[in-house]
Amino acid sequence: MSILKDILYKVNINAVVGSTNIAVNAIDFDSRNIAENDVFVAVRGTVTDGHKYIDIALKQGAKAIICEALPANLNDGITYIEVDNSNKALAIMASNYYDSPSDNLKLVGVTGTNGKTTVTTLLYQLFKNAGYKVGLLSTVKILVDDEEFKATHTTPDSLTINKYLQLMNEAGVEFCFMEVSSHGIHQSRAEGLRFEGGVFTNLSHDHLDYHKTFAEYRDVKKSFFDGLGKHAFALSNTDDKNGLVMLQNTEAKKYTYALKGYADYKAQILENEFSGLLLSIDGSEVWTRLIGNFNAYNVLAIYATAELLGLEKVEVLRLISELQSVSGRFQYLVSDEKITAIVDYAHTPDALKNVLETINSIRTKNESLITVVGCGGDRDKTKRPKMAHIASELSTKVIFTSDNPRSEVPEDIIQDMEKGVEPQNFKKTVSIVDRKQAIKTACQLAEANDIILIAGKGHETYQEIKGERFDFDDYKTVQEFLKQLQK
């Protein structure tokens, strides 16, 4: 049991009805999970408003209600707390409830449009290989040292974050690396956490279905750095035009990294092949299995972060050379027929452009590049024609297909994409709604030395159609079809 007033420490409160000196069991924002003597936090979400479920929470035994507007009828014996922002209140309460677990480890948040999963996962891998106990909060999975849990969001809700951070405390974890999404920042899911540092990767077209304008999207990302304390570091990619914007108002110690411009941490690409990258980082050469220009930035961010967290430069370079690629991030295989298949999560115009340009910079142009790509349903529609334009410009052949259509009609999504294809590229494109059939067709079209890129879903092992999730794995699917060709 916890005392309500202790959980409310540092919460900005407008009004209190009832006593805060009461014992409570647990906190939740989902009325279905509420039990006797719990605290229900009414959160205004994108789909539904938690204030509608206050009565249900009370019937299930809630002892206290946290809300942005007090109900018209107040029940005797119930404590009501009115706050400005329920999301923010929930995050601070979650941290208090779990005994401020972020204070007891070095937590680093990574934000940006692309690269968050790669940077956080590889930092986890690097610090594990260095002999530390490490935590990871990512799109792909949650790791409490060696124990793995399934991830459901890029940035989990604040209760989930603090629950896992507390588990990390119990496991003796010293460092934790966390993806911080724009949705997570906007919904205050990381509020109340003590970050040792923040890393900015890049900013490009994404999530405009949620943020409406690019400026709003940028400013939400910036607010993460604005919230860092004087004890923390803020590391930013200044080759990105928004890199310095992120550092404008932060109190944290400012550091920069870049491949092109002047920066505190510099790298140069010496060799770029399908087998990996040879980089010069601050004057020292290092070989990495990671591939492409975009991964050169990721490796540099990892190097700088590790050094800022106290690791020795020579040790960091050695550990970088041992890093394994991340599932669904430029993950590739070569068939017996010498066909190279690459699976990548690229689901934004900029990410798709980066991957295709990387492939084109490595290949000899004597072989074909066949791209299979779709766009998600119920998401930013403005990026659909842009992604189709990029795919058709930079590929020999393109197959437009379904990604996760969700509640939308797949054919409608593909039609939106086709609007971005220039007339001279029409002959390069074909549309196949069924993703499995699209991948099979790409394999049948490919000849020796050709390259197949399957973009958009990466590590995902499902396809979401009309509210249902079906088992689907791009990597396993292409692997299966390429094997069939060998028979």
Side-chain angles (χ1 to χ4, degrees):
M1 298 283 276
S2 303
I3 304 301
L4 181 60
K5 67 179 180 182
D6 295 338
I7 300 172
L8 291 168
Y9 176 61
K10 288 188 178 177
V11 173
N12 193 3
I13 296 170
N14 292 339
V16 178
V17 178
S19 173
T20 60
N21 194 25
I22 55 171
V24 293
N25 276 334
I27 313 165
D28 216 301
F29 58 92
D30 187 334
S31 60
R32 293 167 295 187
N33 298 333
I34 294 294
E36 201 68 32
N37 294 327
D38 283 354
V39 181
F40 175 64
V41 184
V43 171
R44 297 189 199 276
T46 51
V47 178
T48 188
D49 185 349
H51 291 75
K52 293 177 183 176
Y53 302 98
I54 289 174
D55 286 343
I56 293 171
L58 290 169
K59 282 174 188 170
Q60 295 197 182
K63 201 171 186 176
I65 303 294
I66 315 297
C67 52
E68 292 176 13
L70 293 173
N73 300 312
L74 304 178
N75 293 20
D76 292 337
I78 303 297
T79 301
Y80 295 88
I81 310 286
E82 185 183 281
V83 296
D84 280 335
N85 186 320
S86 293
N87 275 310
K88 197 172 281 191
L90 174 66
I92 296 167
M93 290 169 70
S95 179
N96 292 334
Y97 180 77
Y98 285 106
D99 295 326
S100 305
S102 62
D103 291 354
N104 305 316
L105 44 72
K106 291 185 175 178
L107 177 64
V108 175
V110 179
T111 194
T113 305
N114 303 310
K116 295 187 296 295
T117 302
T118 299
V119 171
T120 52
T121 305
L122 293 179
L123 277 166
Y124 167 88
Q125 199 184 115
L126 187 146
F127 275 76
K128 279 291 286 179
N129 292 344
Y132 294 96
K133 291 197 168 196
V134 195
L136 174 69
L137 292 163
S138 83
T139 305
V140 181
K141 56 190 166 187
I142 294 168
L143 288 164
V144 178
D145 202 28
D146 293 319
E147 194 173 357
E148 185 174 327
F149 302 87
K150 193 176 178 183
T152 54
H153 295 82
T154 304
T155 307
D157 66 79
S158 50
L159 279 170
T160 303
I161 291 169
N162 282 280
K163 180 181 84 171
Y164 284 114
L165 289 177
Q166 189 198 45
L167 286 176
M168 290 178 198
N169 286 176
E170 291 169 4
V173 164
E174 294 176 67
F175 298 92
C176 176
F177 302 102
M178 172 179 169
E179 288 189 49
V180 183
S181 69
S182 57
H183 290 67
I185 300 165
H186 189 254
Q187 294 168 13
S188 304
R189 293 182 213 161
E191 193 77 27
L193 299 180
R194 185 184 190 276
F195 284 93
E196 185 73 15
V199 181
F200 170 72
T201 58
N202 50 64
L203 201 67
S204 63
H205 192 109
D206 199 18
H207 299 308
L208 298 194
D209 54 319
Y210 182 87
H211 296 291
K212 308 308 175 197
T213 67
F214 187 82
E216 185 189 320
Y217 177 47
R218 177 201 64 211
D219 292 346
V220 166
K221 293 281 189 192
K222 178 181 175 294
S223 70
F224 169 66
F225 294 93
D226 294 349
L228 292 176
K230 289 178 182 175
H231 68 279
F233 67 81
L235 174 67
S236 188
N237 170 14
T238 47
D239 279 349
D240 186 288
K241 63 185 177 185
N242 295 288
L244 289 173
V245 174
M246 298 296 146
L247 302 178
Q248 278 174 357
N249 304 106
T250 187
E251 290 186 348
K253 301 176 199 75
K254 301 172 185 180
Y255 298 92
T256 57
Y257 69 99
L259 264 65
K260 299 171 187 169
Y262 172 79
D264 297 309
Y265 294 94
K266 284 280 293 176
Q268 183 184 358
I269 298 171
L270 303 177
E271 290 178 27
N272 185 9
E273 301 170 3
F274 278 132
S275 55
L277 285 166
L278 180 62
L279 300 173
S280 171
I281 299 180
D282 285 346
S284 297
E285 288 189 12
V286 62
W287 174 264
T288 172
R289 293 180 183 88
L290 302 176
I291 303 156
N293 291 17
F294 57 95
N295 270 323
Y297 282 102
N298 292 335
V299 169
L300 184 55
I302 290 159
Y303 169 84
T305 302
E307 204 182 48
L308 289 168
L309 288 171
L311 270 62
E312 291 293 326
K313 175 180 175 177
V314 175
E315 173 75 347
V316 176
L317 291 170
R318 181 186 69 78
L319 292 164
I320 283 172
S321 70
E322 295 174 357
L323 293 175
Q324 303 289 334
S325 61
V326 179
S327 173
R329 268 64 178 178
F330 216 97
Q331 190 178 7
Y332 75 98
L333 62 96
V334 182
S335 75
D336 289 350
E337 310 296 316
K338 298 288 184 279
I339 296 167
T340 300
I342 299 163
V343 172
D344 194 90
Y345 188 54
H347 63 288
T348 67
D350 196 53
L352 184 62
K353 186 169 182 271
N354 283 338
V355 172
L356 286 167
E357 285 183 343
T358 290
I359 295 168
N360 282 322
S361 70
I362 298 169
R363 74 187 185 100
T364 65
K365 308 298 187 292
N366 293 320
E367 64 285 277
S368 293
L369 169 54
I370 304 164
T371 299
V372 179
V373 64
C375 289
D378 304 329
R379 296 292 186 269
D380 183 1
K381 292 184 179 183
T382 61
K383 69 182 182 183
R384 293 173 185 174
K386 293 180 181 179
M387 288 184 68
H389 172 78
I390 290 163
S392 58
E393 277 286 310
L394 299 176
S395 310
T396 316
K397 187 84 179 170
V398 182
I399 302 173
F400 297 135
T401 189
S402 298
D403 189 281
N404 289 317
R406 300 184 177 90
S407 71
E408 282 196 70
V409 177
E411 288 85 352
D412 292 348
I413 299 171
I414 291 170
Q415 279 179 17
D416 286 344
M417 293 180 72
E418 289 169 345
K419 290 170 187 170
V421 180
E422 298 286 333
Q424 69 271 19
N425 293 325
F426 285 155
K427 286 182 180 178
K428 287 185 180 183
T429 69
V430 63
S431 297
I432 301 172
V433 174
D434 184 273
R435 192 173 182 90
K436 190 171 185 178
Q437 188 60 46
I439 294 171
K440 183 179 182 180
T441 303
C443 293
Q444 289 168 336
L445 289 171
E447 296 177 359
N449 301 315
D450 285 353
I451 300 158
I452 301 168
L453 170 66
I454 304 164
K457 288 174 56 59
H459 64 281
E460 292 176 354
T461 55
Y462 64 86
Q463 196 172 17
E464 193 174 331
I465 303 168
K466 293 181 180 173
E468 268 192 83
R469 285 194 173 189
F470 301 90
D471 288 345
F472 196 91
D473 185 315
D474 281 353
Y475 190 83
K476 284 182 181 173
T477 304
V478 72
Q479 191 176 40
E480 181 187 311
F481 286 133
L482 286 175
K483 273 184 186 171
Q484 288 176 13
L485 290 178
Q486 292 164 20
K487 292 175 183 176

